[in-house]
Structures are given as C-alpha cells and as structure tokens.
Amino acid sequence: MNSVERVTRDHSGPDIRCEDLVRIYSTEGSEVQALQGLNLVVEPGEVVALIGASGSGKSTLLGILSGLDRPTGGRARVAGHDLTAMRPRQRIEFRRHSVGFVWQQTGQNLIGYLTVAENVALPMMVARRRDRADRARRLLGLLGIDDLADRRPGELSGGQQQRAAIATALANGPAVLLADEPTGELDDENSAAVLDALRRVSETSGTTVLIVTHDPAVSDHVERTVQIRDGRTSTEVVRRFDADGRTETVEEYTVIDRAGRIQLPAAHVSALGLRDRVRLTHTDDHVRVWPGHDDRSAR
Amino acid sequence: MTFLRLVVRRLRDDPWPAVLLTAAVAVAVALATLLPRTAADLRAETLRGAVASTSAQQRDLMAQWTDRPRLDDRGADPASDYLAAADELRHEQPRPLGELLGAPELVADVGGPISLTPPVETGYYRVGIDVQVDARLQEHSELVTGTWPAPPVPDEEPTEVVMLADAADRLGWAVGDEAAPGTRLAGTFRPVAPDDPRWEHVPRAVRYAELVDPNRGTELVTALYVHPAALAVGAIGQRPQITHHLWYGLDPGAAATAADLGLLSSQLSGFLGSSHTLAAGDETPEVEIRFYSELGRTLESVATQQRTLVALLAAVATGPLALSALVVGTAARLVRERRRTVTALTMARGLSPRQLALSTGAESAALATVGALLGHAGAALAMPMASMSWQWAVTAALAVVLALGITAMLASEGRVATPRRLLLAAELAVLLLAVTATVLLLRGTPGDARTDLLAIGAPVLITVGATLVVWRYHGAPLRALARRLAGGRGLPRLLGVLRAAREPSGGIVAMLAVVTGVSMAFLGTSLSSSLARSAEDAAWSANGAEINVSGPRMSGEIVERIRLVDGVEEVARVARVADSAALSTSSEVTYVGVWAADEELTEVYADTPLDPRLPLELFEDGVPTAVVAGGSARPAGTAGELAGIGPVRILGHRESLPGVGTQSGWALVAADAVGDVIDDAALALVSVTDGASQDDVAAALRAQLPTAVVTTAGDQLDSRRMPAAGSFGAAVSWAGVGAVLLMLVAVVSAEAAGAEARRRALELLAALGMPARDRRRSIVWEVAPLFLLSMVVGVALGLGTAVLLLRALDFSFITGAEASLALDPGSMAATAGLVVGSFVLVVATARGRSRRRPAWEGS
C-alpha cells in the first residue's frame, strides 16, 4: 500500500558530479568567490550530508545543483543533466522530474491553503501526471503521515510539515533530493525523525539525498558527510551502520582534487602549528606531512 | 486536484486581493464607461439648450410659396394634399434629420388685410384683420362658441369664419355677426395649449395685438380663419394671391437625441440647399419649394461648444482614468507580492512560465470580466442612456486589455530592468512632447478642433513629464534633508528620509498617483471657480449695478419715483451725449462715444464687485471739465479738448463702464457738465439698501415702470447660464473628488505592496532597540517628504493646467466673456483639506500596517 516504485535512471555514473566548480558573485565593484573549484561526487542512492559553516558556499552549491543558479566555471551534472548547458525549457523539465527540494523553513515548502495531499499532488499536476491522488497517498504513507493527508500545513507540527515537504519533493520520483537545512527549525526528536525519513526514502526508492546543513549532528544519521570550507570540499566522514541502524565504524578522509590538492583539517593545522609551508615525505604507502620549522630562520 | 481547483482554493483562502483587483477593474471600466456617457449627456444638453433658446421662427424649417385658387377646384383639398406630401418628404429624410422634423403644418394668407372702424364703445379706432387658413387649427384649438366654418362656395357670400374668442369678446362680436364684409362669424375658439411653439407661426390665433398710435388711439389687430378649402376656391368671394407658409416644427427634446451633430448639420445643409417638389395629387398642382431656417447657424455654434466641453471633460477625466489604471496596476502588484512565496515555490516545483501565465491569465480574465461587468452595470445604473450598445464592445476591449495587463503583472517577477539610456530617452521624449503640446496649445485658435484635441493631451503629458522629473530628481532635496538631519539626534527622521530617498516603499506609482490626483483635484476646483467667477463678472459687467433699469426717459420725476421704491438706496442715470466726438490731446486725436452720469454712480458702483473706482474729482465743478477715458481710447497726457464739451482734464483710463453699452473708445463726464442732457438718459443704475432683496426691489420697479426693462445681476447670470453648465460643473467636481479618492486607493495599495520590506526593516530596528514610537515616527518621515513634494508639484500642475486651458480654450459660451483664473478660497480650502486628509490617512494606514510588533517583543 505504502510502497513507491524505485527511481528509474536513464543515465549512468554518479547522480551528482561537480568538477572544479566556481561561482563568483559580482557586486558594485567587488567580487566574492563563493565556490573555489569544488569537487563532489555522489553515487545513486547515497545519503550525503554537506556540512559547512556560514559562508562556506554550501547554499551556493545547492542553488547550482537545483538549477536555480548557474556556475561561473567548472562543470556540474545532476541526474545526468549538464547544468552548465541547459536551456530554460530543459531546466523546467529538470526541476519537474529530476530533483526535489526541501527547504529549511517549514512554511516555505508547502502552500498554506492546500491540504497536505493537495500539496503533494501539486508538482504532479504541474507535470501533468495522471495518478496523482494515489501516488500522493502512497508517498504520505511512506513518510508515515497518510493520516494527515486532509489537513492543512498550519495544522501540522514542524516535523510533520517537513515530512510532508519530503513527500512533495518526491512527488514526481526525482533521482535526487536536495534538502537545505531540513532540520534547522526542529527540535532534536523531530530532527531525528526527519533525517530517518530521508534515509528510509532513499532506501525504499533509491533516491539520492544531499542534505546541506551547518549542524554536525546530522552526520550521525548519514553514511557520508562532506565538509565544505572556503568554497571547497575539504574532508569526508564515512560512517557504517549495523543492521539495527547503530554506528559501526567511522572513518575520516581528506578530499584530494584532480590537481592533487588537499585541504588539511583545521584541527590538525592548529595542533601542529602548520603555517605557510610544510614538508612532505613519501613512503611506500602514504605521505607524511611535517611542519616547515627549518625554514623559520631563513625568513 | 486541478488548476481550476487550485485557483478556487486560492481565492477562497485569500479572497481580498481578488476582490481588490475586481473592484479596481470595476472602477476603471465604470469611469471609462461614464466618460462617453457624460460627454453624450453634455452634448445632448448643450444641443437641447441651444435649440430651446431659439424661437420656433428661428429653428423650424419653413418654406413659402404663392399661387391663386382656381374656381374649378371645387371639392379639392389642397391643404391636406400639401401636408400629406410634406409628411412624405419628411419620412424620406435620413436619420437623424428625419426624426428631428415634426409633423408638417400649413398656414396661408387668403385675404386681407382688411381695415374696419369698430363702434366707439370698443375703445379702438380701427380693427385690422387678416384672413387666413390654418390647416390644423381644429386639432390645436377648441370651440368656445358656434361651429367651425363650412367650406366656402365660390362667388357666394357670406363666407363662414371663426376667430379668437378673446378678440371677439374685445370687439363685442357674437356668432352670426358679420365679422368683415362678406363674412359671417360661425364660431369662436381658444388654443388648447397657448404655449405650443406652433403659435409663433400663427400668432393671431393665440392673441390679438394692440397697436398704439399717440395721435389716433389704439388699433386691434386680429385674424379670421376660414375653412382650408379656401385654398382651392378662395374666400370672401375673392381669388387673391395666396401665400402659403409650410413648416416642420422641431422639438428641442428630440434634438438632444441627435447624437451625431456633424451628420445632422450636413443633412440639414443638404435639405436646405436643395429644392423639393410637393407632388400633392391630381387635383392640387405641384409646387417647388425651398426651405429656410436659422438652425444651421445654431448647430454650428453648438458643435463648437460641444467640442470644447467634451475636450475639457476629457482633459479633466484623464486624471481619474489614469489613476484608475494605476489602481489596477497597484492592486495587481499587491496580489503578486502576496503570492510571491507561493509562486516561487510552485515554480521551483516545475511550473513553467507558460503554465504560470496560463493560470494567471485565466484567473485575470475571470476577474477582469466580473469587474468589467460590474463597472459597466454601475455606470449604466448611474447614467442610463439609450443607444449606447457599442459601449459593450468598449467594455469588452477594456476587459481584455486589463486582463492582459494584470496577467503580465502577476506573471512577472516584478524586477523588470529597463536600460538606463532607454529610460532617459523615454523621459526626454515625454518632456519634449509635453512642451510641444503646450506651445501648440497656446498658439492654437480657441474653438479649433486641433486646439481641443491638444487640450486633452497637453495636461496628461505635462503631468507625466513633471512626475518623471520629480522622480528623477526627488533624491536631491531628500538627501539634503538627510544631511541636515544626520548631525542631529533625530534618528527616526533620518532613517525615514533616507528610506524615502533611496527605497520608497510606494515607488513611482505612489508619486504619480499623488501628483495626478492632487493636480486633477486642483484643476477641477480652479476651473469651476474660474468659470463661475468669470460668468458672475460678465453678469455684473452687463448689469452694472444691483438693478439696471432701461427704456423710459429718465427724467427727474422718473428718478424720484425710482427713489421712492422701498429698498432703493441710490439711483444714477447714464446718458449718451454723443456717438462720436473728437478727444484731442497735444499729440493725438481719438474719437470717442461721450457719456454723462450722475455723481451717485460712484456709490452705485461701490456696491458691485466690479467697481471701476471712478475718481471723485470727475464730479467736481470746474474748468476744464474732468473726464475719464475708457475702452480703446487711451489718450496720452492729462489735458485735452473734447468736442462739444471744451477743454478737459483727463483723470485716467478705465477698461469698462459696467452696465453701460460702451463700444470701443469712450469718455465719461459728470452730468452737470452737459446741462439737461441727463434727463434724456435711457438708463438708470440702482443700488439697494442693505438687507433688501434685489428681486423684490426689481419687482417693485417693474410695477412702478411697466414699460421699463428691469434686470438684476442674478437675471443676467441666469440668462447667460449655459444649459449644460450644471452637468459640466458636476462632472468636473466629481472628477476632482474621484481623482483624490483614487489617488488615496492607489497610494495605499502601492504602500501596502512595499509594506513587507518596511516591516522587515522595522523588525530589525526593533531588534536593535529602537522604541516603537520612534519606529512609527520614521514611517511618517518616510511617507511625508515624498507625499508633500508630490503634493506641491500637483498643486502647481493643477493651477498651471487651469491657466493653460483658460487661455487656450474659448469658454465664452459658458461665461459670456473671456475667462481668467479666479480661485475661490472656500473651495480651494476644501480641496486642500481633502488632500491633507488623504495624506493623514496614508500615514495612518502605513503606521497601522507596520504596528505589528515582532513576536519576541511581546504585545
């Protein structure tokens, strides 16, 4: 009854691929480089959290991935669509069928004068899909709020609203679901429920989920967490869960780009007093990084 | 879930934007529908008034011909044949002329004039009698005594006649008497409706005349009416030359329905310019006739009046019309702002711009249709008018245009960036057009069609141009004000002024609305008061005093009788001494009409608003004689000689001598300077005592001097009043009030559309610790400078446009004289009060809307 069909993809490879993505904002005589050659790959069915402080470029990245903004340089492909070369009509189709969005503000995701079921049906109506009512019921069932189908958003709690928003975002069966701070206005309990719902959706339908947040706690609920800093991805944390959903192992990685550049975690830099330049030594299976102390006198 | 359901749900959830939009469309359509209705009403009223002000003899279409009766026409009825043929000719005429012509009438002189000497006891020394046929006499009269006359029999006497009962009574004639040699009085009659204009063509059938000969006595003039068959066989045994007088009566009421005056004029010209054959029948000979009438000249003058009135109406109405369009625009903007979040969300979910345009287009079409129907129905109820069915097409076109405009507004992002150069070029083009239109308007000929057209366009262009200039440069004074405030402690004032200078919430729409609304309100007020004042001045100028008495010789005895009338204060006679006399100075000779006046003239004039302030020395004895020159006579120097008077001292010059029919140049001297001439004066100007009624005194003077023409300034004003003046004044006043109300709605809507941004800014200020009172004060300082600036520009524009129109258009048919700007303090104060009240309301609304406190601040 509550089952939804799995996402069908007519493209191969990752659902999200960003290569050297650059976005520069120009304002009255000054330029702000929000993304500075960002690289990111998200495979189909993955649930990835993109974590970064305010101004790190995560919202800019989400704007580009959702087709609402255009990169200044680099390449970005989402669900097989090259975002740098899409025409307006293709962007509309992209938004209809390939991506879904969930925003931070609960009131921003749903139309207040429509019921929950009508909100879910709206994107299908826009896309002229026929089985609207039935699919809306199944999506609401998947998210555990089918009993709230005839209520208006104002009659729901914040968590219920976000789950309704997730159902709305999945209405047309997108390959990718983009969520911008989906738990930003929720308490811990509701946050956990929403994040679990996103993971369940991914497992059930095979949807790729990218959650953008500044909340490090989100990483406890996803397999892969990508840290974004100064407009670039810096580190990744991969978490493995056991069958009961409990964390089994946690591994932290630093991202290396195509030019071989890596960004060291801030904690390491600070602890070792790394500055200006470092010494690298190569061994058989790894690279060592040493503070450049010998050079201090030379300066 | 369908798009229709989505729209319905949206309307149910938040109906007010839709209601506002529908109401705005309804107002715009109602105004657009009312304009042609008002114009048609004014045209009709002008035409009706002009036609009604003419006599039947002037306006009716008349024709005359003569022939002789034939004795062998026994049994023929030429009158009926002629009337039937004339009726056929009438029905052959196209609309609107054919509808305007009344049933034909025929009167003929078949004998006379006959002179009789009546018995002495009648009091008349002679009776003058015409013998006539009035073909429709029996329809319009009723017998008082006897019977209607039998058809005359050739060579047999007497011929039966009827006559006016009053005349028969006056002469002591009874039925059976011989009225004139060869006649027998068969009966007497009286008109059923003595005021019927037809009697102007048959005056002796409604009243007899008394002609007074000072030497011989009084003659009574009347007419005898014989049977219409006399046209075939003659009357009183005679076969005279018969003069036929045929006419079509014109009904002034029916004239008003002639919507197309140009067409009517051309049809009339064609009808009057060609000959018509009355093919009367086998027994009545054909006649070739040509009609004549003075109606054509009347129509020409009416056409000019109509064009000027409609041009003026259109010029005044463009304000409310433009404002109603602005209201529709701001309402649509308000709706767009309220739906911005939902629209953004829906588009993010994949709604294409085309789908958005389609859904908003359908919604706009529905709202515009409902609004247009309501507006049209409202206008039709307010001003019902037949034969305006074409207006439905106009309403439909308006609904389509407004629906498209609303769709464009709702479907747009609201951030249309117009290239700066293009904007500047457009502004310059508008300014250039405004200047060109103004110059052409001032150079144009009043009453000319092109001038009238320019009179509509120039005010609009000037208003738009001025608004653009103010919008472009309004920042400078505001920034200067901000710099001044920056040094002080008034932070709310500074913040308000800065926002007004950099990001006013109402935008250019609010400014345009205020400039247009205020200028139209002041234009309407100043035009109304100027026209009213000019008409009053013309009336006073014609009357010259509170009461003007003319006609009889104003001897000392007559003046004394006038003085003795209750309520009379002063009496001043004015006599014409010479039609043309040489007024010589050392350098020139001017020919002037010479007038003499009693010295009471200064006091009589002092009680009028047009006191020419004659110098008191004018009435002082002495040599040389004091004289005041006037009109076109402007002698150089103060000493000269006036033919018939001698050496004169020229005390000064006056433009006019109110109440006195001076022409071109004139000179006025004291009555004492011309001996007894003043006793031959035919004019006396009279002032009344305080508290006395001019009308009562005038009535008493009429009773005292039955042969005199006695008029008050009020009588003069009434006789000059244009028939459509009331409707026109009402239209102008309503246009002014409507402009202010629409301005209010437009400004409040425009402010409301920007209220969200202001609310966010105020929340920030609240978060920074600014007290609520200061936040509200900042709103006042944000709204006030722009409103006041626009208001000042609006007042200047309104008054300037009034001056422009008064100079460019010919209003003499309304005022009776050249009109100039005259401001009535009362109505100006009322208009200013309305505008200031609007300002207070706008500020109060803006304050009220942003009074909502941030949640964290508590209530």
Side-chain angles (χ1 to χ4, degrees), chain A residues 101-167:
Chain A
F101 315 92
V102 177
W103 283 278
Q104 175 181 4
Q105 291 167 317
T106 50
Q108 204 182 342
N109 289 306
L110 302 167
I111 295 174
Y113 51 80
L114 298 181
T115 64
V116 168
E118 286 169 341
N119 265 291
V120 178
L122 180 68
M124 292 187 267
M125 188 179 75
V126 166
R128 299 190 184 88
R129 193 168 172 152
R130 288 186 179 278
D131 55 340
R132 298 197 280 265
D134 178 50
R135 181 169 169 79
R137 292 276 169 191
R138 279 186 285 134
L139 281 168
L140 291 174
L142 175 67
L143 287 151
I145 49 170
D146 49 346
D147 55 329
L148 307 175
D150 295 325
R151 291 203 196 166
R152 293 200 185 184
E155 298 164 352
L156 307 182
S157 70
Q160 289 169 332
Q161 283 187 33
Q162 286 305 68
R163 278 188 278 163
I166 294 168

Side-chain angles (χ1 to χ4, degrees), chain A residues 89 92 95-96 101 103 108-111 113-115 118 121-123 125-126 128 132 152 165 168-169, chain B residues 1-3 5-6 9-10 12-14 341-342 344-355 358:
Chain A
R89 182 70 229 171
I92 290 167
R95 284 203 288 267
R96 278 184 190 171
F101 315 92
W103 283 278
Q108 204 182 342
N109 289 306
L110 302 167
I111 295 174
Y113 51 80
L114 298 181
T115 64
E118 286 169 341
L122 180 68
M125 188 179 75
V126 166
R128 299 190 184 88
R132 298 197 280 265
R152 293 200 185 184
T168 307
Chain B
M1 179 77 172
T2 59
F3 271 114
R5 192 168 175 195
L6 180 68
R9 292 294 294 272
R10 186 162 62 192
R12 277 173 53 187
D13 181 73
D14 190 13
T341 308
V342 170
L345 173 64
T346 321
M347 292 198 79
R349 299 273 185 237
L351 188 78
S352 68
R354 189 165 165 270
Q355 282 176 314
L358 278 176

Side-chain angles (χ1 to χ4, degrees), chain A residues 272-273 275 291-299:
Chain A
L272 298 173
R275 236 170 53 184
H293 296 301
D294 293 351
D295 296 332
R296 283 180 189 172
S297 54
R299 286 196 302 162

Side-chain angles (χ1 to χ4, degrees), chain B residues 137-138 142-152 158-165 168 173-180 182-189 223-227:
Chain B
L137 183 66
Q138 293 188 30
E142 57 191 7
L143 278 173
V144 178
T145 56
T147 60
W148 293 108
T159 300
E160 286 194 350
V161 296
V162 288
M163 71 184 297
L164 184 67
W173 292 351
V175 171
D177 287 353
E178 183 184 67
T183 67
R184 189 182 75 83
L185 190 62
T188 60
F189 66 87
L224 301 176
Y225 292 89
V226 296
H227 190 277

Side-chain angles (χ1 to χ4, degrees), chain B residues 732-760:
Chain B
V732 170
S733 301
W734 278 111
V737 173
V740 173
L741 292 178
L742 285 167
M743 171 196 82
L744 197 58
V745 176
V747 174
V748 169
S749 305
E751 290 282 339
E756 185 57 30
R758 179 194 285 141
R759 198 179 57 74
R760 283 198 298 270

Side-chain angles (χ1 to χ4, degrees), chain B residues 590-608:
Chain B
T590 313
Y591 286 88
V592 295
V594 181
W595 297 82
D598 290 326
E599 66 174 307
E600 286 82 1
L601 188 62
T602 52
E603 290 163 55
V604 172
Y605 277 156
D607 284 350
T608 72

Side-chain angles (χ1 to χ4, degrees), chain B residues 3 33 66 119 230 290 333 346 435 470 487 585 726:
Chain B
F3 271 114
T33 312
T66 56
R290 209 178 249 273
R333 185 181 157 208
T346 321
V435 171
V470 174
T585 61

